[in-house]
Amino acid sequence: MAHQNLGTKLTALVVDDNKINRKIHQKLLESVGMKNQGVENGQEAVDIHCHGQRFDLILMDMDMPIMNGIEATKELRSMGIGSMIVGVSSRCTEAEIRKFMEAGLNDYHEKPLNNSKLSSLLDKINPSFTRN
Amino acid sequence: MLGLGADLLWADMNRLLAFLFHQGVLDEQFLQLQQLQDETSPNFVSEVVNIYFHESEKLLRNLRALLMEKEFSDYKKMGIHLNQFMGSSSSIGAKRVRNVCVAFRAATEQNNRAGCLRALEMLEHEYCYLKNKLHELFQIEQQRALAAGVRYPVQN
């Protein structure tokens, strides 16, 4: 395993079709020092990984056109992506959350995320997980 | 003198904000947005809110168009628009607009056209009120920035 550079910034991917949510979540991540990118749907999230990019954290919306969060999460896990994937949605029923978790989420939070929710997520992240 | 101007504008801004919180128009998520504003993005709040205005007006047009259709039946499509409106309103802290969306969606789920029409009118009213107040807030913010930046040259 390569020596962990403590100065390396953690990286995140925001997957959300709503421009406002993407902008807010990306700014929130930036404010805690994370490099981040945003994409508009699950298919784009899968594509960016097919091109070889990796992230420490993925914030995954559930309801999106083309490919939703559940399908994208399953696809990423089947590709062997070990990033922390956190589902974020504003209107999930308990059954939907369970289905989303079973797709391979590490955690689930109601939207919109705020600083305290993000802090609890970052506490759980092992930054070298995706770099073995 | 102009220093006093900036202070008075700051007081005006906080008074308006307190009023909007007290009325339940805005909630703590709006404060979260303000806390994200910094030197690297000094206009973050107004940028996000302007995107919200643009998207909201598109959704309102779509909702009104659907309700005005002669053989109206697409309650599901209205539900989709309302979910988007609810999500965006939550994200900027527009609590009262979001609450009206919840009531509107209930009317769509009951296939209640008259209820939908009443809800749409209420939503348009609530949205316009929010838009006017936020514009007022941003205007005060701009005036304050100008006032704080003005300096008289020192005269001997």
Side-chain angles (χ1 to χ4, degrees):
Chain A
M1 181 168 73
H3 177 70
Q4 179 63 36
N5 179 356
L6 293 178
T8 303
K9 278 192 170 186
L10 294 178
T11 58
L13 178 69
V14 177
V15 190
D16 200 317
D17 60 316
N18 184 297
K19 194 191 303 183
I20 292 165
N21 291 332
R22 269 199 327 275
K23 194 175 173 78
I24 291 171
H25 285 159
Q26 287 189 259
K27 182 63 188 176
L28 186 66
L29 292 163
E30 182 192 306
S31 76
V32 296
M34 294 185 84
K35 286 174 65 182
N36 62 77
Q37 274 180 256
V39 294
E40 288 183 25
N41 58 60
Q43 183 63 58
E44 289 182 19
V46 170
D47 290 347
I48 203 170
H49 284 88
C50 287
H51 284 102
Q53 279 204 249
R54 294 294 182 265
F55 303 91
D56 297 299
L57 172 67
I58 298 170
L59 299 181
M60 182 74 74
D61 187 21
M62 188 173 90
D63 293 310
M64 291 178 286
I66 303 175
M67 183 186 282
N68 70 28
I70 290 176
E71 291 157 1
T73 301
K74 283 180 181 175
E75 186 71 25
L76 292 173
R77 292 307 191 203
S78 73
M79 289 167 64
I81 301 300
S83 312
M84 170 174 274
I85 305 181
V86 176
V88 286
S89 188
S90 53
R91 43 162 223 98
C92 275
T93 64
E94 250 179 62
E96 283 168 330
I97 295 170
R98 194 178 315 118
K99 190 178 171 191
F100 205 178
M101 289 294 298
E102 283 166 3
L105 292 185
N106 296 93
D107 205 345
Y108 172 86
H109 278 278
E110 210 170 299
K111 194 188 281 179
L113 282 188
N114 56 32
N115 234 295
S116 62
K117 288 178 185 174
L118 183 60
S119 294
S120 74
L121 291 175
L122 295 182
D123 285 345
K124 302 178 187 177
I125 286 183
N126 175 357
S128 64
F129 190 81
T130 59
R131 299 193 185 107
N132 290 332
Chain B
M1 189 61 179
L2 286 174
L4 266 182
D7 287 339
L8 287 172
L9 288 165
W10 189 82
D12 281 350
M13 197 166 72
N14 283 311
R15 192 178 303 114
L16 177 54
L17 261 182
F19 172 74
L20 293 171
F21 278 101
H22 185 260
Q23 277 201 321
V25 174
L26 296 176
D27 65 21
E28 66 280 354
Q29 176 61 16
F30 191 80
L31 292 180
Q32 292 277 332
L33 288 195
Q34 287 189 314
Q35 284 163 20
L36 287 173
Q37 192 157 274
D38 56 21
E39 319 81 60
T40 67
S41 39
N43 300 308
F44 181 73
V45 176
S46 61
E47 280 169 21
V48 170
V49 169
N50 281 317
I51 295 171
Y52 173 75
F53 288 158
H54 179 77
E55 310 234 315
S56 301
E57 277 153 46
K58 183 168 52 170
L59 290 168
L60 284 168
R61 279 197 302 273
N62 291 346
L63 287 164
R64 185 160 273 282
L66 282 170
L67 266 171
M68 292 305 120
E69 276 171 14
K70 202 167 272 185
E71 293 174 24
F72 171 80
S73 63
D74 211 338
Y75 289 103
K76 187 172 180 181
K77 203 167 190 179
M78 288 181 64
I80 290 169
H81 291 329
L82 287 166
N83 286 337
Q84 285 175 42
F85 212 156
M86 284 171 62
S88 299
S89 299
S90 288
S91 294
I92 70 148
K95 185 166 125 182
R96 243 169 45 184
V97 168
R98 185 185 184 281
N99 289 347
V100 176
C101 288
V102 173
F104 197 159
R105 195 176 63 171
T108 65
E109 283 163 357
Q110 291 155 23
N111 290 11
N112 177 359
R113 188 174 184 203
C116 289
L117 279 166
R118 280 194 300 273
L120 176 61
E121 282 172 11
M122 197 182 309
L123 183 56
E124 285 170 342
H125 170 80
E126 204 57 63
Y127 170 74
C128 282
Y129 183 78
L130 173 73
K131 189 178 184 185
N132 288 337
K133 290 301 178 190
L134 289 178
H135 272 146
E136 199 177 317
L137 186 75
F138 294 145
Q139 274 173 6
I140 298 173
E141 206 169 49
Q142 280 178 344
Q143 287 164 29
R144 180 188 163 212
L146 287 174
V150 175
R151 294 280 183 274
Y152 277 125
V154 177
Q155 297 183 21
N156 295 320

